[in-house]
Each structure stands twice: as C-alpha cells, then as structure tokens.
Amino acid sequence: MDYKEVAKHNAADSCWVVLYGKVYDVTDFLPNHPGGAKIILQLAGQDATEEYDPVHPPGTLEEQLPKSALLGPVDKTTIPQVEQAPADTPINSTPMASSSTPEPEAYTVPPLEDILNIGEFEPAARHLISRKGFAYYYSAADDLYSKHLNSSIYSRILLRPRVFVDCTSCSTSTTMLGSPVSLPIYVAPAAMARLGHPTGEQGIAQACATFGACQIISNNASMTPEQIVSGAPPTQVFGWQLYVQTERHKSEAMLGRIAKLPQIKFIVLTLDAPVPGKREDDERAKNVGANLPIKSAVQDDTSSSKSRPEGVPAKGGIGASLFAGTAPDLTWATTLPWLKKHTNLPIVLKGLQTHEDAYLASLYTPQVAGIMLSNHGGRAADTAPPSIHTLLEIRKYCPEVLTKLEVYIDGGIKRGTDVVKALALGARGVGIGRAALYGLGVGGPAGVERVFEILKAETETAMRLLGVSRVEELGMQHVNTRLAEREIYDGPAWVGVFNGRPKL
C-alpha cells in the first residue's frame, strides 16, 4: 500500500496508522484507547511505530485490534524520509534545562566496570537514552525540591561506627513479607523501562534474579506481567503495583491475571499520585504525550483547563498520559474491602507521607501487611517530605507501627550508607527506581546488575564498619539523626484521637 494513501486517512472518521511496516485501520478503536483518542489522532495517517513501540507491551496489537483492522503492508519505498526529531535523539549535547550539572561536550560514556557509584549512571544514561525517554525518567514535580531532598537528607544522618568487632562475615539476606531475598534493596515500580532498553522490565527481572532481589512491577510497565516473569522460577520474588482504575472491572481483571503468576507475592496499592504532578522536563521533551490534555483522575475533556486558546492543546508529557483512567475516589472504608474480594495476596500501601496515615494502615492488618513510605520519587507533590522524614515521624509519634507491619521506603537511595541508615531506622527494605532505569539504559540487564553490585558492596562495607554482620542487627544505636530530626513535623500527635478504625 502506498504511504500517500495512508496519509489521507488522518481524521476521527477514518483513522489509519502504520505500525511495524503494516497499515491498521484504528477508527473503531479510537473511543476505546486507554490513553484517549487524541494521542492516536495526532499520529493518524503516519508511521507511529517509534512512538508506539517503547510504551506498549508486545502483543498489544493482537489483543486490542480485530484481524479485520489489518489492511496490509505499507510500501516502504513510498515512506518519506524525515529528519529525526529532537525528542527522539539522545541528549548528549542538550542536557535537561533544570539539570544542575550539564555534562561537558567531550564526555564519553565509560564502560560498565568503570562506573563506580550510582550517581555516575545518570550522565551516562543521558547520553544513551532518547531525549523523551530520559526526560520521563529524570523529571519530577515543579522545582524538583522533593526529588533533590530525597537524596540530600541522607547526608544529615551520621553513622556511629563500632570497633573491635569481628567483621569477617557479612550477610545482606532478609525477607520481604515472608519471602526470602538476598538483598534489602528492591526495584521500586518504575514505568516504561523499554524507553531505555529493548529488554525492558524483563531485563530488570533478569538482573534481580542474579542478585536475589525483589522487583515490583509497575502498573504502567512496557511489558505484560506474564512477559516480565517469563522464565523466572516460582521462588523469585515480585510484587505488582496497582493503580485502581475508574472502571473497576479493568483492575479486577488484572488482579485475576496476577493470581495466576506464582512469582508475584504481594500487591502494592499506590496512593501517592491520584493525579499527576507537573513534570516540566517531561513536557519540554515535546513528545506526543506532551500534547495530551493534562488528564488527572478527576478531569475529562469537558472539565480541563480553559485558560489556553481554543485548539491549543495543553501539555502533560508521558507521565500525565499514563494517568488516564486512574481512580480518584479511593478511601480506607471502601477500597480495602473491595480489594479483599479480588485478591488473597498481602497488600502493601505505597505513598504514605505522614505518621497519621502510617498509623491508620496499622489498623488494617493483617490485610495490610506493609507500607511503603514514598513521595513518588518527587514526581507528585513538590515539597512533600522525603521518606526518611516520614520514618522519623513514625518513630516519634507512633513507633508501634514498626512492630505491626513491615515498613519500606524509596526515593534518593544512591549509596550503601543510605541503605544502612534506612534499615537502622526501622525500614525492612529500600527501593530504587531511577537507578535501575538508568542502569538498564546504559548497559541493559548487565547495567542493572552493575547497579546492584555497587550498592551491595557499599552496603556490606558500611555494615562491617558499624560492626554488624546481619541486616537484623542494625538499629538506632548505629545512627545519629539529630540534624534530620530538626526538620521533621513537630505539630500535635494525631494518633489516639479516635477509638478503632475511623470512618473515612
């Protein structure tokens, strides 16, 4: 089929696209597209493969479209040659506008073995990942204050090394919700891994298998859960992130699929981003997603902002486009009973940022088996507290929470000393997100393995210098938190103002 014929079908009443060298009529699919019709219409009559491939799991076409939608192959000799768009090029000469340390033009990506710390993966990834991919990974809300505080807070917690202690042996093994893991470091749910490398989330899973680490699969993964765990033994530990959809039947169907995968041991219900944060670096990348209306869970096409001229689309980036259909109406009273009907797996609540919510979560055990303290990598509410602040707040106002359920944290982990400090303060494990994505972008599965290798070695060194041979031996006696404690919430304690579970 001649490409000129395809180009004629570029409207809602007749919409064709080219994917992987084949022409598809997606006119009838427009109203059913999870991300909305506009994203398809902006590619109508064009070759959409480069935009489509990194963000859709293999097999999506076959699952979503009837066989009749396939019109045949396109004549590749008729496809016009176009100049590569800035959004599709690596950022080697155009670092992010808000990046604090732009890389020099002479920068050369080092081999994996020469990367010595987690911070060195970011500039390497900036040079190897497409501009739109790196922008999505790097971006955070507003002024990036919470993103940067996630990391810098660890410098305000000091270690208290001990001497004359036999440090010959050192084990980083622990458990997550009863499942044994070799590291207290897990991969937090991070979306769209195939933006960085073709192996995607399955490549991360392979690295996790090598180091015996847990991987929490993102609800917005670029591969299906079945593809990600394919080849993994039943003993490998995965979690599944759940964004509850406004159309509950979609979430229920996914939970049914998850129940058939023995590798997935628990469900992570994400609560810290019912609406997307304003991620300006993602918007600046000028990808197709950036031209979507900003779709929060409580907006639709009729209620979105009217502050722009008619016909001029608002921007939102990849991040905003992924939130289409996310439910804004979750509550303690309704969501947990609904979830209990559809899964028997332990529930971990992700995104808690106050001691009040941590205490409330502890009232819902045993269904709620754990909590993840997180500000969504600084990508939701800017100036929200880092997870270490929330952990210190829990220790101050309701320390009993630490004995009732397992507490995990993520955000800003860049050193083994960061891992050890979090564990000493009561965390069961710590999550890494961008580090895994950058590692994948730099070296595929081997790059993620290098991330784990560095963090494991640094964690073991810190444990030995503290006189600790096992993770469970770490405690408050190993850290000095006076500087950090000056910055945490100091208002009245909310705990204890009610009896039993509140009706919220």
Side-chain angles (χ1 to χ4, degrees):
M1 185 178 299
D2 194 296
Y3 188 79
K4 290 182 180 179
E5 178 63 28
V6 177
K8 296 177 183 177
H9 300 267
N10 58 5
D13 59 351
S14 182
C15 182
W16 294 6
V17 293
V18 175
L19 293 170
Y20 309 109
K22 299 177 181 178
V23 181
Y24 290 87
D25 183 347
V26 295
T27 309
D28 294 336
F29 179 65
L30 289 175
N32 300 317
H33 183 237
K38 290 185 179 181
I39 185 69
I40 299 180
L41 288 172
Q42 289 176 3
L43 296 166
Q46 304 174 47
D47 188 339
T49 306
E50 288 190 12
E51 296 289 348
Y52 174 93
D53 183 73
V55 297
H56 289 83
T60 301
L61 277 175
E62 294 77 6
E63 180 181 325
Q64 297 289 343
L65 297 178
K67 292 182 179 179
S68 58
L70 176 59
L71 303 180
V74 67
D75 183 348
K76 294 183 180 180
T77 63
T78 64
I79 299 177
Q81 297 296 315
V82 295
E83 185 176 344
Q84 193 175 29
D88 298 321
T89 58
I91 316 180
N92 48 8
S93 60
T94 53
M96 303 307 299
S98 58
S99 178
S100 57
T101 54
E103 294 305 310
E105 293 183 6
Y107 177 84
T108 300
V109 176
L112 283 176
E113 61 269 21
D114 289 347
I115 295 179
L116 302 181
N117 61 67
I118 300 306
E120 292 178 353
F121 278 95
E122 182 179 303
R126 182 185 291 124
H127 281 66
L128 294 173
I129 298 175
S130 71
R131 181 173 179 80
K132 68 180 179 181
F134 185 82
Y136 174 67
Y137 293 163
Y138 176 90
S139 63
D142 298 350
D143 297 313
L144 283 66
Y145 180 82
S146 289
K147 176 188 176 183
H148 295 315
L149 186 57
N150 281 347
S151 296
S152 63
I153 183 60
Y154 284 98
S155 67
R156 296 197 280 281
I157 298 174
L158 305 181
L159 294 176
R160 302 185 68 241
R162 300 301 304 273
V163 299
F164 259 153
V165 180
D166 184 355
C167 59
T168 305
S169 63
C170 182
S171 173
T172 57
S173 296
T174 185
T175 60
M176 291 184 67
L177 302 173
S179 297
V181 290
S182 299
L183 285 177
I185 305 164
Y186 60 90
V187 175
M192 299 292 113
R194 289 178 67 228
L195 285 171
H197 193 270
T199 59
E201 289 82 4
Q202 190 177 50
I204 295 176
Q206 293 167 6
C208 286
T210 301
F211 280 84
C214 170
Q215 176 185 5
I216 300 175
I217 302 170
S218 171
N219 194 114
N220 288 317
S222 54
M223 305 178 76
T224 67
E226 292 85 357
Q227 291 165 345
I228 295 167
V229 305
S230 176
T235 53
Q236 188 168 341
V237 181
F238 292 84
W240 169 258
Q241 179 197 37
L242 175 65
Y243 279 115
V244 179
Q245 301 296 291
T246 51
E247 299 179 68
R248 293 292 196 272
H249 66 91
K250 293 182 178 180
S251 295
E252 292 164 6
M254 178 57 73
L255 288 169
R257 289 169 57 185
I258 297 303
K260 300 175 183 178
L261 302 175
Q263 297 92 337
I264 298 179
K265 315 298 185 188
F266 55 92
I267 302 295
V268 178
L269 177 61
T270 294
L271 303 169
D272 53 0
V275 297
K278 182 170 180 275
R279 307 171 191 173
E280 295 172 9
D281 284 318
D282 192 17
E283 294 181 24
R284 288 191 187 98
K286 307 291 185 186
N287 52 71
V288 170
N291 293 321
L292 287 171
I294 297 178
K295 289 187 177 181
S296 72
V298 295
Q299 289 179 329
D300 57 28
D301 289 343
T302 62
S303 64
S304 56
S305 172
K306 305 298 182 184
S307 61
R308 63 187 184 276
E310 186 176 355
V312 177
K315 297 179 180 180
I318 293 175
S321 66
L322 295 178
F323 279 85
T326 303
D329 58 347
L330 308 187
T331 68
W332 297 97
T334 61
T335 305
L336 291 175
W338 165 80
L339 199 52
K340 192 172 185 178
K341 295 178 182 178
H342 298 286
T343 182
N344 295 319
L345 293 175
I347 304 300
V348 178
L349 302 182
K350 180 181 180 295
L352 282 69
Q353 297 163 80
T354 65
H355 77 272
E356 294 96 327
D357 284 336
Y359 179 77
L360 283 173
S362 73
L363 302 180
Y364 289 85
T365 58
Q367 182 187 11
V368 175
I371 56 176
M372 288 184 176
L373 312 181
S374 174
N375 60 22
H376 213 77
R379 294 160 75 85
D382 199 19
T383 72
S387 55
I388 279 289
H389 273 194
T390 309
L391 185 54
L392 288 169
E393 194 177 307
I394 291 170
R395 296 198 69 93
K396 177 179 180 179
Y397 290 102
C398 49
E400 66 273 17
V401 167
L402 297 170
T403 64
K404 291 183 177 180
L405 38 68
E406 296 186 3
V407 177
Y408 299 87
I409 73 169
D410 64 38
I413 301 293
K414 292 185 177 180
R415 289 285 186 181
T417 51
D418 300 341
V419 175
V420 166
K421 291 170 185 178
L423 299 179
L425 289 171
R428 187 77 178 185
V430 302
I432 57 172
R434 291 183 179 92
L437 293 172
Y438 290 158
L440 187 72
V442 172
V448 186
E449 289 180 8
R450 181 60 176 159
V451 169
F452 279 126
E453 181 182 18
I454 290 169
L455 284 176
K456 183 176 190 293
E458 291 183 351
T459 299
E460 290 173 342
T461 297
M463 288 173 63
R464 284 188 163 102
L465 293 174
L466 291 173
V468 169
S469 61
R470 299 190 307 276
V471 167
E472 56 267 27
E473 295 175 4
L474 289 164
M476 285 293 292
Q477 69 275 19
H478 294 113
V479 290
N480 179 346
T481 60
R482 286 289 296 278
L483 284 175
E485 286 174 352
R486 293 168 56 185
E487 301 175 349
I488 69 171
Y489 170 77
D490 195 33
W494 183 75
V495 172
V497 299
F498 54 81
N499 293 316
R501 296 179 179 177
K503 295 180 180 180
L504 299 177

